[in-house]
Amino acid sequence: MLRPNAIPFDTYLGDAISLDAASFAARHAWPMIVIPDPDPAVLSRIRRAETVIDRVPRDATDDVEAAPSAASLDALCLEASPKSGLPSDSISIGRSPAADVILLDDSISRIHALLSWTPATQAMVVTDLGARNGTRINGALLEAEHPTPAESGSVLAFGALVTRLYTPTAFHTWLRDGAPRSGAAPGVWPHR
């Protein structure tokens, strides 16, 4: 589910080109969850009227050509921040509308995991909350209720949904150095 203030992928690209890393991180201060090459089924579920929160008219949500505001053909970028916008020591991730970051996939639990973010040190810690289909970092299954550090660029899988997790400064570098762009040569998804 996208928030009304979701930032379009092209805006992130433009900011990465025009801003230095510190200015970019000041503007986009939260970690990013990036879904590489989202398949049409993921995008179509995001477009359902009951799951989209944006300015798209309700009758246009079934139009396959109408892209949600944070998606390109190559990546879906979701800011991992609390819904309230207020500082928080953890961000909930799951299928439930109550989660801070809502991921629409049947393999994801209602409240699947927590992401703890420490801006001063750019440290990220992921805690699986006993999700039925588990959470993995770089292929390693997390033990339930056991906080596990995650490096920027890590492959983070919630159930069957595979994502990448970036700090703001690493997201800036990735965008500048070859993020996939619609209509351009394929970008490179880094190994780390």
Side-chain angles (χ1 to χ4, degrees):
M1 185 180 298
L2 303 178
R3 297 179 188 169
N5 60 350
I7 297 171
F9 187 70
D10 291 342
T11 299
Y12 289 120
L13 287 171
D15 285 351
I17 291 166
S18 64
L19 300 173
D20 62 29
S23 299
F24 182 90
R27 182 173 289 176
H28 308 290
W30 294 95
M32 294 299 297
I33 296 173
V34 179
I35 302 170
D37 303 317
D39 71 32
V42 170
L43 292 178
S44 70
R45 286 204 308 258
I46 290 170
R47 289 188 186 100
R48 285 191 323 219
E50 70 271 19
T51 61
V52 175
I53 298 178
D54 64 5
R55 295 183 191 98
V56 175
R58 195 165 174 83
D59 59 346
T61 57
D62 293 329
D63 181 5
V64 175
E65 298 303 316
S69 60
S72 77
L73 296 177
D74 303 301
L76 177 63
C77 302
L78 303 171
E79 182 180 81
S81 64
K83 279 184 181 176
S84 67
L86 300 174
S88 175
D89 59 352
S90 63
I91 297 124
S92 60
I93 301 166
R95 272 187 306 115
S96 169
D100 293 314
V101 178
I102 301 169
L103 299 175
L104 300 173
D105 188 279
D106 294 337
S107 68
I108 296 173
S109 296
R110 291 183 55 72
I111 301 294
H112 194 101
L114 292 177
L115 172 65
S116 298
W117 166 241
T118 307
T121 61
Q122 300 266 308
M124 299 180 291
V125 175
V126 178
T127 305
D128 178 90
L129 297 177
R132 182 172 154 194
N133 293 308
T135 305
R136 295 178 184 275
I137 297 177
N138 296 324
L141 183 64
L142 302 186
E143 182 181 330
E145 303 293 337
H146 186 265
T148 305
E151 294 180 20
S152 189
S154 293
V155 175
L156 183 57
F158 303 99
L161 184 65
V162 178
T163 71
R164 291 270 185 178
L165 181 63
Y166 293 99
T167 63
T169 53
F171 185 55
H172 173 264
T173 301
W174 174 72
L175 288 167
R176 288 182 62 102
D177 294 346
R181 290 155 171 83
S182 295
V188 177
W189 290 98
H191 295 303
R192 297 271 317 148

